[in-house]
Amino acid sequence: VVLMRDQIRSRIADLSALAAKTQATERRILEQAERRLEQIAGRLKEIKPRVLLDESLSDEYQRLILERGKLGIVVAQARRVLG
């Protein structure tokens, strides 16, 4: 009974450490995603006036819009995990 209790305590400690690592990783993911969203917003603002005149900028604009949408999902998931 004592051995089983010690094993349970050890497992709980392991899970607690894993939860802390997961939280730290989610915070880093959130920070990086938010930083990238700021970069995207800046670039979109920069190229928006010329998008209709330059096809390569139009393609870049579309890629950035798609990336922004995916990052929005990443941010929402990270915030949900972090509570």
Side-chain angles (χ1 to χ4, degrees), residues 11-79:
R11 184 68 179 145
I12 289 171
D14 291 345
L15 291 173
S16 179
L18 181 59
K21 288 179 184 177
T22 300
Q23 291 280 325
T25 300
E26 288 294 338
R27 278 191 296 276
R28 285 193 302 273
I29 290 169
L30 180 59
E31 289 169 6
Q32 291 294 324
E34 288 176 334
R35 187 173 298 127
R36 180 63 182 145
L37 282 170
E38 289 175 11
Q39 293 170 345
I40 289 171
R43 182 64 179 153
L44 288 172
K45 185 177 179 180
E46 178 183 329
I47 66 174
K48 189 174 183 178
R50 302 185 320 257
V51 163
L52 296 176
L53 304 175
D54 185 333
E55 189 172 330
S56 67
L57 286 180
S58 178
D59 291 343
E60 179 183 1
Y61 191 86
Q62 288 180 325
R63 284 193 308 272
L64 290 170
I65 294 295
L66 289 173
E67 184 179 356
R68 183 177 67 181
K70 291 176 184 177
L71 285 170
I73 293 169
V74 169
V75 166
Q77 289 173 338
R79 287 182 177 156

